Amino acid sequence: MTIMEPRKHGDASDGTIGGRQSRFEGSMKVTGSATYALEYPAAGLAHAVLVQSTIPAGRVVKVDAVAALAAPGVLMVLTPDDDLGLVTATDWYGNRPEGKPYYPLPREVRFNGQAIAAVVAESREQAAEAAKLVSVTYEETPSIASLDDPNVGEGKVMDNLTAAWGDAEAALAAAPIMVEGEYRTPREYHVAMEPHGLTVKWDGDQLTVWEPSQWSHGMARTYCEWFGIPFENVQLISPFIGGGFGSKGGALAYGAVAAFAARKLDRPVKLAVTRAQNFTSYGGRAATRQTIKLGATQDGILQAIVHRGASETSTYADWPEQTGAATPILYKVENFSSQHRVVPVNTVTPGALRGPGKNPSAFGIESAMEELAYKIGMDPLEIRLQNYADHDYQSGKPWSTRRLREALIEGAEAFGWSRRSHAPRSMRDGRQLVGWGIGCGTFPVIRAPSEALIRILANGRVEVVSGAIDMGQGTYTILAQTAADIFGISIDQVDVRLGDSRLPGSAIAGGSMLAGSIMGAVHKAATAARDELIGLALNDANSPFRDTGANTLNFSDGRVTAPRGEGLSLTLAELMGRLKRAEIEIRRDTLPEGASAQDHHQAWTTLSKVQGPTMGDYSMHSWCAHFAEVRVDEDFGTVRVSRIVSAFDCGRLYNPRLVESQWRGGIIMGIGQALLEEGVVDMRNGRTVNSNMGDYLVPTNSDIPDIQVISVGVPDYNASALGGKGVGEVGIVGVAPAIANAVFHATGKRIRDLPITLDKLM
Ligand code: MCN
Ligand code: MOS
């Protein structure tokens, strides 16, 4: 099956690694020719609609489905009374409880909005109508609405998130200057343009799932384990995704429900999760609280950091939103102590949202650093340079590359930071108070193996094939560039197929790890394919290069030539023709030599082979410094971000145009986080009340100012085979504190509780 049509695009001169090629699939998305998961036609399609709980905690005592079953077009109602016969799948790391049943529609209710029943009908409208007729009797038990609930517990300390060195308490007590603050971030949601959902179909014991995914192989594994079928029997197809931002990494309960219904009815089933249901079908960013105490000398040299954080999790799983993730590595500090707790509340288990952990963590430490700067009358840029960390104090390892100093200096230069006057409320533009602030960000380099297949075809086209995902980051494009580069051909001669669990395995499109990983695999496979072609061209009896005496060949400008220019020059198609080859196909992966079949399967379907930033001789991270300008209306308290300049160290950039777009995207989400985004919980029943795009506000064009982005990175070959570091997430990290710091500079009011809404400023 071909998922993607070969396409024409752009200027071929951009088709090398480092070129500014536009997004390969961009025009397909905006013109509607890209097919999304809910658009796959399937004959005899039935439609499933979820029924969600309306209480936050308790038990489903009875589901009365008589009226729903009698409604027009209804084929089936699934409730907690039905044993779907599913088995619990492995977790992210490949651990699996032996034979434990899995109930996607559980009788126990653990949060408001949990799926407890599903109605399947001939049409979506019939299913939705019938869903309203399902009547549920509950036995309600006490619940905890959120971290703000007066009955909320202390939660539990996450030992693996506790860090300490030196003697932080003593150094803090001895420090001449101390600042202390409590910083809070609310629940935040992904609100991707494409909501969740899937189309699913069985052919005997073969399961096809069309579902937006950040990880085709990982999600396919979950389906195969739920249903007890071999991995090979599942095909998860996800060539185009309308945004994931961390929400589409795993298969979820509604997927199990739809697949079960499809098997039972022996018909394909489509299940569209409504926008409101999206807010509780999977978790957003957990609400966080953290206190930070900084001890320093009179001239602003940090002596100690004491950090205590907490994030909410569900009552049935621990998801830590690590408030101490950026705190230990941004600054030089000899005495440090950090602890993080997870606090169970009646919510769906939270999940990864762009820059998980680092993001709220940076809000804390980067706000606190400016509080310290103002306390001693020091410039916020100066204090950051003064406390620059020359190595990673937490791991004790040297940085692989850390151009954060350059980011601060070049960012400040481009922003015009030296023109700032220090005192709060000292800069204005008519009735508007003007403020400038800085926020640094960081995101770890996470490495994982990947696999790719390269085909050189007789017609001179080159195919790149992988199960990797492009949800908008640019995977199609950078892989086409890699192949074009290695074969010296125009990018128009390259076809890329992605997003299918039957294709070669790949790292997850998550943790900003995919580009570095899959580029390495494609580079390796394409180089091997080129070497094979060179070998044939120099040795094959049919080859015109055989008698040139050359020991290698050049590939450039669409032509294959002998190195000393013996006059022989063929296109790839001509060479393949002379060699009488229909195709050359090479598959390569970046697992260690001699890895077993089991290792391969684990590598693509779990995160067990993923390596963190300090697993090696170095500490490896991307870095950034954001400079924000805000204008605050003195009378109304309205805040507008009027300018942002951000400088980044993400190592080598494979495609600067796409990187800039990634950075801007992150910054825009950061502006939303600073000023708009907040999941509001009804304290009476734990419901997310603003579960729609009218009330859960994300930035629109009119909220977004001019954003200038600057790269200060240098290639880092410890971080990845081709020298790039992660790009996708670091951009959001540090934006909210830069804006909060600018708001303080403008108004003299320190907001430690996101979002910064006008009621907090009045
Ligand atoms: N890139 C590059 N040079 C590098 C690194 C990356 O040119 N050295 C560019 C490439 O275009 C690549 C992109 O940046 O496709 C992102 O690469 P990377 O940082 O490796 O991130 P991933 O491919 O793993 O993508 C996931 C990351 C995450 S974790 C979130 S969350 C996020 C993000 O990407 N969600 C996104 N960016 C997103 N962008 C869009 N449009 N939609 C989402 O849902
Ligand atoms: Mo990104 S939040 O790691 O998918």
Side-chain angles (χ1 to χ4, degrees):
M1 158 188 249
T2 294
I3 297 154
M4 198 172 158
E5 302 288 315
R7 297 191 32 75
K8 291 266 174 239
H9 44 72
D11 171 2
S13 67
D14 283 341
T16 52
I17 300 174
R20 297 182 65 87
Q21 181 69 40
S22 285
R23 283 244 307 272
F24 203 68
E25 88 305 0
S27 62
M28 299 179 79
K29 279 185 163 179
V30 294
T31 57
S33 63
T35 309
Y36 289 91
L38 294 182
E39 299 175 327
Y40 282 90
L45 198 61
H47 297 261
V49 164
L50 292 174
V51 178
Q52 294 185 326
S53 69
T54 54
I55 63 160
R59 253 178 93 72
V60 174
V61 178
K62 183 169 184 265
V63 179
D64 182 348
V66 175
L69 278 166
V74 171
L75 301 164
M76 165 192 257
V77 178
L78 293 171
T79 75
D81 293 332
D82 298 293
D83 180 5
L84 310 192
L86 307 184
V87 182
T88 300
T90 55
D91 66 12
W92 293 93
Y93 297 97
N95 310 306
R96 188 174 189 196
E98 198 63 41
K100 187 178 163 200
Y102 172 55
Y103 304 105
L105 301 171
R107 188 171 296 284
E108 272 340 294
V109 177
R110 290 156 315 182
F111 58 94
N112 203 321
Q114 174 185 314
I116 48 167
V119 177
V120 190
E122 294 290 346
S123 76
R124 162 126 192 123
E125 291 72 19
Q126 288 171 330
E129 276 308 305
K132 293 182 198 159
L133 304 176
V134 175
S135 139
V136 184
T137 314
Y138 301 98
E139 195 176 276
E140 207 172 331
T141 52
S143 60
I144 303 293
S146 78
L147 283 182
D148 294 324
D149 193 308
N151 296 319
V152 75
E154 280 289 296
K156 73 169 178 211
V157 172
M158 303 292 287
D159 286 332
N160 60 339
L161 301 180
T162 300
W165 60 88
D167 186 342
E169 294 292 349
L172 187 72
I177 303 290
M178 215 270 275
V179 293
E180 176 177 359
E182 194 208 14
Y183 305 92
R184 295 167 167 239
T185 63
R187 283 186 200 174
E188 293 154 6
Y189 294 90
H190 309 81
V191 284
M193 286 294 282
E194 180 197 21
H196 281 235
L198 70 163
T199 308
V200 60
K201 161 168 157 291
W202 289 86
D203 298 292
D205 61 355
Q206 303 281 321
L207 173 64
T208 309
V209 182
W210 291 273
E211 182 171 8
S213 171
Q214 294 181 223
W215 194 19
S216 59
H217 285 65
M219 283 174 58
R221 175 177 180 146
T222 304
Y223 280 97
C224 90
E225 290 177 345
W226 281 339
F227 289 94
I229 54 175
F231 179 77
E232 295 67 38
N233 287 21
V234 179
Q235 183 175 21
L236 189 129
I237 299 172
S238 182
F240 303 105
I241 296 102
F245 307 111
S247 67
K248 290 170 178 165
L252 296 160
Y254 57 80
V257 170
F260 175 86
R263 191 172 61 178
K264 186 97 180 165
L265 293 169
D266 197 19
R267 285 175 66 167
V269 166
K270 185 193 284 194
L271 187 153
V273 180
T274 66
R275 180 57 72 180
Q277 289 175 342
N278 265 262
F279 283 72
T280 54
S281 294
Y282 59 97
R285 194 193 307 284
T288 71
R289 309 271 186 266
Q290 57 183 314
T291 57
I292 297 181
K293 296 178 192 169
L294 301 181
T297 62
Q298 297 284 0
D299 44 5
I301 305 297
L302 275 179
Q303 303 296 299
I305 299 178
V306 176
H307 171 270
R308 295 291 177 266
S311 56
E312 61 184 15
T313 190
S314 68
T315 57
Y316 56 97
D318 290 339
W319 174 276
E321 182 69 26
Q322 313 172 19
T323 54
T327 329
I329 61 164
L330 277 176
Y331 298 103
K332 171 179 171 157
V333 63
E334 304 283 357
N335 302 288
F336 184 88
S337 161
S338 174
Q339 194 184 74
H340 185 87
R341 284 177 298 121
V342 285
V343 183
V345 306
N346 289 98
T347 173
V348 61
T349 306
L353 203 173
R354 212 168 190 175
K358 304 291 169 190
N359 173 319
S361 181
F363 177 62
I365 184 69
E366 287 299 279
S367 297
M369 280 304 277
E370 291 222 359
E371 297 209 39
L372 175 61
Y374 281 97
K375 178 143 187 175
I376 58 171
M378 194 170 190
D379 183 288
L381 174 63
E382 193 54 36
I383 202 165
R384 290 180 167 87
L385 294 172
Q386 285 276 359
N387 289 289
Y388 198 77
D390 53 358
H391 69 277
D392 176 355
Y393 280 75
Q394 183 172 24
S395 67
K397 293 182 182 179
W399 307 118
S400 52
T401 49
R402 192 199 206 225
R403 309 253 310 159
L404 181 56
R405 190 193 304 278
E406 289 77 2
L408 281 162
I409 291 170
E410 291 188 32
E413 175 72 27
F415 188 79
W417 184 260
S418 60
R419 295 197 304 275
R420 168 179 174 275
S421 68
H422 183 73
R425 303 182 72 90
S426 64
M427 289 169 50
R428 56 165 66 235
D429 178 6
R431 301 176 60 77
Q432 309 232 291
L433 297 163
V434 176
W436 291 0
I438 303 177
C440 291
T442 176
F443 199 81
V445 171
I446 303 174
R447 289 162 300 165
S450 276
E451 187 181 31
L453 183 144
I454 296 286
R455 257 188 223 115
I456 311 170
L457 304 180
N459 62 8
R461 298 190 70 80
V462 173
E463 285 181 6
V464 180
V465 182
S466 162
I469 293 294
D470 191 334
M471 56 178 164
Q473 333 89 289
T475 319
Y476 282 115
T477 313
I478 57 175
L479 297 188
Q481 288 173 260
T482 309
D485 205 337
I486 286 171
F487 291 99
I489 54 178
S490 149
I491 198 168
D492 293 334
Q493 258 173 277
V494 182
D495 300 314
V496 184
R497 282 184 58 191
L498 300 177
D500 183 330
S501 63
R502 292 263 167 97
L503 302 179
S506 157
I508 187 172
S512 301
M513 75 181 92
L514 180 57
S517 171
I518 190 70
M519 287 281 281
V522 168
H523 194 270
K524 189 169 176 181
T527 306
R530 189 182 61 185
D531 287 348
E532 172 131 339
L533 181 61
I534 293 172
L536 289 168
L538 296 180
N539 298 309
D540 192 293
N542 298 316
S543 171
F545 287 107
R546 199 168 110 123
D547 301 323
T548 57
N551 58 7
T552 188
L553 295 173
N554 283 346
F555 291 75
S556 66
D557 301 324
R559 308 201 74 82
V560 186
T561 54
R564 282 186 302 275
E566 286 83 350
L568 203 50
S569 163
L570 301 183
T571 63
L572 270 187
E574 287 163 355
L575 178 56
M576 290 292 281
R578 300 289 281 269
L579 295 172
K580 304 194 188 329
R581 299 286 293 213
E583 68 175 44
I584 292 174
E585 181 181 296
I586 297 279
R587 189 167 175 146
R588 286 286 182 277
D589 63 66
T590 55
L591 278 165
E593 208 69 42
S596 66
Q598 172 73 359
D599 286 336
H600 279 78
H601 185 61
Q602 290 284 341
W604 323 136
T605 62
T606 73
L607 300 183
S608 58
K609 308 271 189 256
V610 168
Q611 297 198 322
T614 54
M615 280 175 82
D617 295 337
Y618 298 95
S619 179
M620 305 188 288
H621 311 260
S622 289
W623 304 98
C624 64
H626 303 286
F627 295 78
E629 177 184 276
V630 300
R631 275 146 207 272
V632 183
D633 185 292
E634 212 178 349
D635 299 321
F636 296 114
T638 44
V639 180
R640 297 197 68 80
V641 179
S642 47
R643 203 156 62 89
I644 294 222
V645 175
S646 304
F648 290 86
D649 168 12
C650 293
R652 180 183 180 197
L653 309 184
Y654 307 135
N655 180 324
R657 182 198 297 269
L658 302 190
V659 170
E660 288 160 14
S661 159
Q662 284 291 301
W663 288 340
R664 287 202 178 90
I667 292 165
I668 290 166
M669 283 177 90
I671 294 173
Q673 177 183 35
L675 301 180
L676 302 167
E677 293 187 48
E678 176 174 22
V680 178
V681 183
D682 187 330
M683 297 306 287
R684 296 167 304 179
N685 54 27
R687 192 172 303 167
T688 307
V689 292
N690 54 346
S691 56
N692 60 74
M693 290 179 84
D695 296 317
Y696 183 88
L697 301 181
V698 294
T700 62
N701 280 344
S702 62
D703 298 304
I704 300 308
D706 181 46
I707 299 172
Q708 185 185 350
V709 289
I710 299 164
S711 173
V712 298
V714 291
D716 184 337
Y717 295 104
N718 299 312
S720 65
L722 298 181
K725 300 195 277 188
V727 154
E729 291 169 282
V730 67
I732 193 176
V733 183
V735 175
I739 292 169
N741 291 335
V743 167
F744 176 79
H745 185 228
T747 63
K749 205 152 186 186
R750 170 65 57 185
I751 308 298
R752 301 185 182 88
D753 179 14
L754 293 180
I756 305 168
T757 46
L758 51 89
D759 51 305
K760 296 175 188 166
L761 280 174
M762 293 307 274

